[in-house]
Amino acid sequence: MTYAQAPFSTAEYSRRLDLVRAAMEAADLDAIFVTDPSNQAWLTGYDGWSFYVHQGVILPRSGDPVWWGRNMDAVGAGRTVWMGADHIRGYADHYVQSTVRHPMENLALHIRDLGLESSRIGVEMENYYYSAKAHEVLLRNLPLARVVDATGLVNWQRLIKSDEELDFIRRAGRISEKIVRQAIDKAAPGLRKNELVAEIYHAGITGVEEDWGDYPAIVPLTPSGLDATAAHLTWNGAEMRRGEATFFELSGCYRRYHAPLCRTVYLGTPPDEMRRAEAAQIEGIEAGLDAARAGNRTCDIANAFYGVLKSHGIAREGRCGYPVGLSYPPDWGERTASIRPEDETVLRPGMVFHFMPALWMDTWGLETTETILIREDGAAETICNLERKLFVKP
Amino acid sequence: MTYAQAPFSTAEYSRRLDLVRAAMEAADLDAIFVTDPSNQAWLTGYDGWSFYVHQGVILPRSGDPVWWGRNMDAVGAGRTVWMGADHIRGYADHYVQSTVRHPMENLALHIRDLGLESSRIGVEMENYYYSAKAHEVLLRNLPLARVVDATGLVNWQRLIKSDEELDFIRRAGRISEKIVRQAIDKAAPGLRKNELVAEIYHAGITGVEEDWGDYPAIVPLTPSGLDATAAHLTWNGAEMRRGEATFFELSGCYRRYHAPLCRTVYLGTPPDEMRRAEAAQIEGIEAGLDAARAGNRTCDIANAFYGVLKSHGIAREGRCGYPVGLSYPPDWGERTASIRPEDETVLRPGMVFHFMPALWMDTWGLETTETILIREDGAAETICNLERKLFVKP
């Protein structure tokens, strides 16, 4: 296997293009310019850590997509995308992080060259890799085009996974099980947290049998004690201590596909308050899984979970899940539907969510989560198979 | 050591605020809103993997900075920043990745509350974490403010490192030496690349003695053979092979500070062409280091290097270096000066660059690089200490 091999079948890429073009037609768009690295990879196979400079995919209503980026990354595109070399375009290095030039000046030239200068073009205005400045420069250089916001247009097409994608997610799930188990097995008083994280990385990148591990879109979040009252702290060199809970928010990654899985370990004897919260959380997850059925809505999952918590006297609100699949940093979520009371996305078979019913309390945090697949019939399937509980080590 | 401890002295944070405020005064700005996670951390100590949602630092002309972000991350701010709780502000979860609300609506309320609604406010228009949409929503919600582009205003103040920062960079350098050595030692025909990367991660996160390893802002780039003709491919599960060069583009990370270091290993006997390129590259690096003196300019380093390459008949152009220090994904560069022929930044003692004279050729790639410190007198100092050559293993 080399890089010069797109990960999916021709039929799969055709399926994706068809979905996106139907959405473009519905939105009356002649073309879209896609900057989200996940969307770029989903459409073309492009894979490289080059999204720190401007790059993207131009997709007109017909013909193959065009990958555009820095010259040296156009070489990487040649090694990873399924399109021919005539659908890869590069820009010179003097555009990179320059104070006098902007890559969008070059993009405008290519858009003109493709005959799209007077067309209606969708851009992803809410994306990490489409800056306010990029938008300003692009507009100035395409005075005849109608540039409109198409944030999420591609992302929404990714919501229902194909069988080929589910296969990748399941492989990621095996890696997730392995690394969460590794974290729980190794956790011990006196172990420095960074040493634990080193083991997590080693297990995840090694992967499972033939399935090599890719880098997850979020680094391991492994806070202990009071640090676990916050949601997104990473790690440091402090020793693990008796009398503290540590949560592991982790995901295996197989060729950019994710299946996040969180568990919590307590070193010592957990306080009764935490045990009661654990019971409420597990019961709430079961209620959520039962509500996660085709035809129901995302809010039904959230309401089922929050309802159980409330019956146990625990107040929690906000978002408790999001779709996952192919992702690049900084987020492994797809940024479309959310599992929350105000979101009414109808659940369909093949959708995959990270159901994330975490509890961040005043003096500790408790994360127990599942990546779930919506099925044709019945409650959701959990992609990973790992005991659902607070793990306690003496 | 816990998270609840900002990494630098009070005097160091004061130094940073003074520099930024002088730049604000020169630019006639009443306040800046800082979204770059590296700038946020540099000013306040904030550290967490939460930059995938909108957050930032509001810095008026006087008083402590205000950290603003999602409620659950305001808890993380309480664990990491040096300011008091009254300088941390949160927004509710229903703003997160919503299709009907935007966090910038909330930011505008806080800017009003701080008495800045009619002021002249600088924003970082060219930043991964300040989207075109964010800018549009902020402008709409602050109709009386004059919102202007202040991209790089904070970044340029980071260019000359303090002694406290140099200490962190040197610690990162020890980790860089360790992981590059580890990669070269382990490389062998038949070893799967992901297994090698697992070893690199393990060594880097374990760190060196008391200095625990943080996650670098760029994942390991470790391509072999034809994949190494591209600059930014990561890794896969293929076995390393005899007759191929593999470059390692790596950095240790100590508390978010970096000291990148690249070396290349060849398994077998390198072709004469590569040996000749190696000689040219080493000679060019020496010429570059000699030109990297206080009072010279960044272009002098680039021209010295390209001059030597040209004398060896190798054509290469573009950027061959950038400042490094504190960084978050997706880039460990600071995005200010560049080492390239058109950049005339004057070199000052305390500046730190990744001098990156890599060669990506038609059938192979050769990376040999150094993180360099500009000194009071004499040629640049290399932060890492590792033999500068193409490593060859039979």
Side-chain angles (χ1 to χ4, degrees):
Chain A
M1 194 207 62
T2 70
Y3 256 108
Q5 187 180 325
F8 294 103
S9 68
T10 305
E12 171 67 8
Y13 287 111
S14 293
R15 179 188 78 85
R16 297 174 182 185
L17 285 182
D18 289 348
L19 283 169
V20 171
R21 283 186 165 134
M24 288 166 64
E25 190 172 345
D28 192 23
L29 293 171
D30 302 310
I32 53 173
F33 174 63
V34 173
T35 39
D36 186 324
S38 312
N39 291 341
Q40 291 183 53
W42 190 74
L43 287 167
T44 72
Y46 181 73
D47 184 29
W49 189 286
S50 55
F51 37 84
Y52 70 91
V53 296
H54 290 284
Q55 58 181 33
V57 169
I58 308 165
L59 183 69
R61 284 284 273 280
S62 62
D64 285 350
V66 173
W67 189 89
W68 167 85
R70 187 180 183 180
N71 276 339
M72 63 172 71
D73 298 318
V75 180
R79 303 289 300 163
T80 58
V81 306
W82 56 263
M83 303 90 71
D86 53 335
H87 283 74
I88 298 171
R89 298 182 177 220
Y91 61 81
D93 224 47
H94 65 198
Y95 284 104
V96 172
Q97 298 179 0
S98 165
T99 52
V100 294
R101 292 180 196 86
H102 197 286
M104 288 295 141
E105 297 161 9
N106 180 273
L107 177 68
L109 297 177
H110 288 287
I111 286 176
R112 279 202 203 99
D113 185 56
L114 291 165
L116 294 167
E117 77 176 288
S118 305
S119 65
R120 196 170 146 90
I121 304 174
V123 296
E124 296 172 314
M125 289 194 63
E126 181 73 337
N127 191 267
Y128 312 108
Y129 303 103
Y130 190 72
S131 67
K133 181 79 173 182
H135 187 59
E136 185 184 277
V137 175
L138 188 64
L139 287 187
R140 197 190 315 135
N141 283 271
L142 288 176
L144 302 177
R146 286 146 297 161
V147 179
V148 300
D149 189 7
T151 301
L153 184 144
V154 177
N155 305 59
W156 280 101
Q157 313 315 316
R158 292 162 43 196
L159 198 50
I160 297 175
K161 271 65 185 174
S162 69
D163 288 346
E164 290 188 45
E165 291 184 294
L166 286 176
D167 177 54
F168 277 33
I169 290 172
R170 290 184 195 284
R171 290 169 195 258
R174 296 296 79 74
I175 301 176
S176 299
E177 292 165 3
K178 179 188 180 189
I179 59 179
V180 175
R181 267 200 211 103
Q182 175 84 332
I184 295 165
D185 287 352
K186 296 271 179 185
L191 180 68
R192 297 179 76 195
K193 187 67 64 61
N194 65 303
E195 290 170 0
L196 182 65
V197 173
E199 299 296 332
I200 292 170
Y201 263 115
H202 192 276
I205 305 297
T206 304
V208 174
E209 296 168 5
E210 280 307 295
D211 297 339
W212 56 277
D214 210 341
Y215 59 91
I218 300 179
V219 298
L221 306 177
T222 64
S224 300
L226 282 172
D227 288 336
T229 64
H232 297 114
L233 301 186
T234 50
W235 68 83
N236 58 27
E239 291 183 0
M240 300 188 79
R241 296 191 305 191
R242 223 170 242 109
E244 283 187 345
T246 300
F247 69 71
F248 301 111
E249 185 166 338
L250 306 176
S251 181
C253 185
Y254 179 73
R255 303 198 78 172
R256 311 296 336 124
Y257 279 77
H258 296 73
L261 179 68
C262 311
R263 290 291 184 269
T264 304
V265 66
Y266 194 94
L267 301 180
T269 305
D272 289 347
E273 180 197 30
M274 200 181 293
R275 281 297 198 188
R276 286 193 298 270
E278 177 200 6
Q281 189 179 52
I282 304 301
E283 186 187 331
I285 291 172
E286 285 162 4
L289 290 176
D290 194 60
R293 291 165 185 268
N296 279 1
R297 297 158 303 167
T298 41
C299 58
D300 295 323
I301 308 175
N303 290 331
F305 173 66
Y306 290 136
V308 170
L309 282 194
K310 198 175 170 188
S311 74
H312 286 264
I314 298 175
R316 158 103 155 83
E317 55 175 23
R319 203 165 74 130
C320 60
Y322 43 78
V324 291
L326 192 169
S327 278
Y328 283 85
D331 190 8
W332 59 40
E334 291 182 352
R335 299 181 305 285
T336 49
S338 288
I339 299 179
R340 59 179 154 197
E342 68 179 21
D343 192 298
E344 303 198 342
T345 306
V346 176
L347 301 172
R348 302 278 178 222
M351 289 184 180
V352 176
F353 296 90
H354 184 207
F355 178 31
M356 220 290 177
L359 296 175
W360 301 287
M361 311 303 270
D362 285 344
T363 56
W364 46 266
L366 180 59
E367 291 199 354
T368 311
T369 78
E370 298 285 357
T371 290
I372 64 173
L373 166 65
I374 307 302
R375 293 194 276 207
E376 293 282 348
D377 296 298
E381 174 189 339
T382 57
I383 293 288
C384 300
N385 181 18
L386 188 66
E387 213 176 344
R388 197 180 304 143
K389 65 172 188 180
L390 169 64
F391 288 78
V392 176
K393 296 180 75 168
Chain B
M1 194 208 58
T2 71
Y3 255 108
Q5 188 181 324
F8 294 103
S9 68
T10 306
E12 170 67 9
Y13 289 111
S14 293
R15 178 188 78 85
R16 297 174 182 184
L17 285 182
D18 289 347
L19 282 170
V20 170
R21 283 186 165 134
M24 288 167 64
E25 190 171 344
D28 193 22
L29 294 172
D30 301 311
I32 53 174
F33 174 63
V34 173
T35 39
D36 186 323
S38 312
N39 291 340
Q40 289 183 54
W42 190 74
L43 287 168
T44 72
Y46 181 73
D47 184 31
W49 189 285
S50 54
F51 38 84
Y52 70 92
V53 297
H54 291 284
Q55 58 181 32
V57 169
I58 307 165
L59 182 70
R61 285 284 273 280
S62 62
D64 285 350
V66 174
W67 189 90
W68 166 86
R70 188 179 182 180
N71 276 338
M72 62 172 70
D73 298 318
V75 181
R79 303 287 302 162
T80 57
V81 306
W82 55 264
M83 304 89 72
D86 53 334
H87 283 74
I88 297 171
R89 297 182 178 219
Y91 61 81
D93 224 46
H94 65 199
Y95 284 104
V96 172
Q97 298 179 359
S98 166
T99 51
V100 294
R101 292 182 195 86
H102 197 285
M104 290 292 142
E105 296 160 10
N106 181 274
L107 176 69
L109 297 177
H110 288 287
I111 286 176
R112 279 201 204 100
D113 186 55
L114 291 165
L116 295 167
E117 78 176 286
S118 306
S119 65
R120 195 170 146 90
I121 303 174
V123 296
E124 297 172 314
M125 290 193 63
E126 181 73 337
N127 192 266
Y128 312 109
Y129 304 102
Y130 190 72
S131 67
K133 181 79 172 180
H135 187 59
E136 185 185 276
V137 175
L138 188 64
L139 287 187
R140 198 190 315 134
N141 283 270
L142 288 175
L144 303 177
R146 285 147 296 162
V147 179
V148 299
D149 189 7
T151 300
L153 184 144
V154 177
N155 305 58
W156 280 101
Q157 312 316 315
R158 291 161 45 196
L159 197 51
I160 296 176
K161 271 65 184 173
S162 68
D163 288 346
E164 289 187 46
E165 290 183 294
L166 285 176
D167 177 54
F168 277 33
I169 289 173
R170 289 184 195 285
R171 290 169 195 258
R174 295 296 80 72
I175 301 176
S176 299
E177 293 166 3
K178 179 187 179 189
I179 59 180
V180 175
R181 267 201 211 102
Q182 176 84 333
I184 294 165
D185 287 352
K186 295 272 178 184
L191 180 69
R192 296 180 77 195
K193 187 66 65 61
N194 65 304
E195 290 171 359
L196 182 65
V197 172
E199 299 295 333
I200 292 169
Y201 263 115
H202 193 275
I205 306 296
T206 304
V208 174
E209 296 168 6
E210 280 306 294
D211 296 338
W212 56 277
D214 210 341
Y215 57 90
I218 300 179
V219 298
L221 306 177
T222 63
S224 299
L226 283 173
D227 287 337
T229 63
H232 297 113
L233 301 187
T234 49
W235 68 84
N236 59 26
E239 292 183 359
M240 300 187 78
R241 295 192 303 192
R242 224 170 240 111
E244 282 186 346
T246 301
F247 69 70
F248 301 112
E249 185 166 338
L250 306 175
S251 181
C253 185
Y254 179 73
R255 303 198 80 172
R256 311 295 337 124
Y257 279 78
H258 296 72
L261 179 68
C262 311
R263 290 290 184 271
T264 303
V265 67
Y266 194 93
L267 302 180
T269 305
D272 289 347
E273 179 198 31
M274 199 180 293
R275 282 298 198 187
R276 285 192 297 271
E278 177 201 6
Q281 190 180 52
I282 303 301
E283 186 187 331
I285 292 171
E286 285 163 4
L289 290 176
D290 194 61
R293 293 166 183 265
N296 279 1
R297 298 158 303 167
T298 41
C299 57
D300 295 323
I301 308 175
N303 290 330
F305 172 66
Y306 290 135
V308 169
L309 281 195
K310 198 175 169 187
S311 75
H312 286 264
I314 299 175
R316 159 102 156 83
E317 56 174 22
R319 203 164 75 129
C320 60
Y322 43 78
V324 291
L326 193 168
S327 278
Y328 283 85
D331 189 9
W332 59 39
E334 291 183 352
R335 299 181 303 285
T336 49
S338 289
I339 298 178
R340 59 180 154 196
E342 69 178 22
D343 192 298
E344 303 199 341
T345 306
V346 176
L347 302 173
R348 302 277 178 221
M351 290 184 178
V352 176
F353 296 90
H354 183 207
F355 178 30
M356 218 292 175
L359 296 175
W360 299 287
M361 311 303 270
D362 285 345
T363 56
W364 46 265
L366 181 59
E367 290 199 354
T368 311
T369 79
E370 299 285 356
T371 291
I372 64 173
L373 166 65
I374 307 300
R375 294 194 275 206
E376 293 282 348
D377 296 297
E381 175 190 338
T382 57
I383 293 290
C384 300
N385 182 17
L386 189 65
E387 212 176 344
R388 196 181 304 143
K389 66 173 189 179
L390 168 64
F391 287 79
V392 175
K393 295 180 76 169

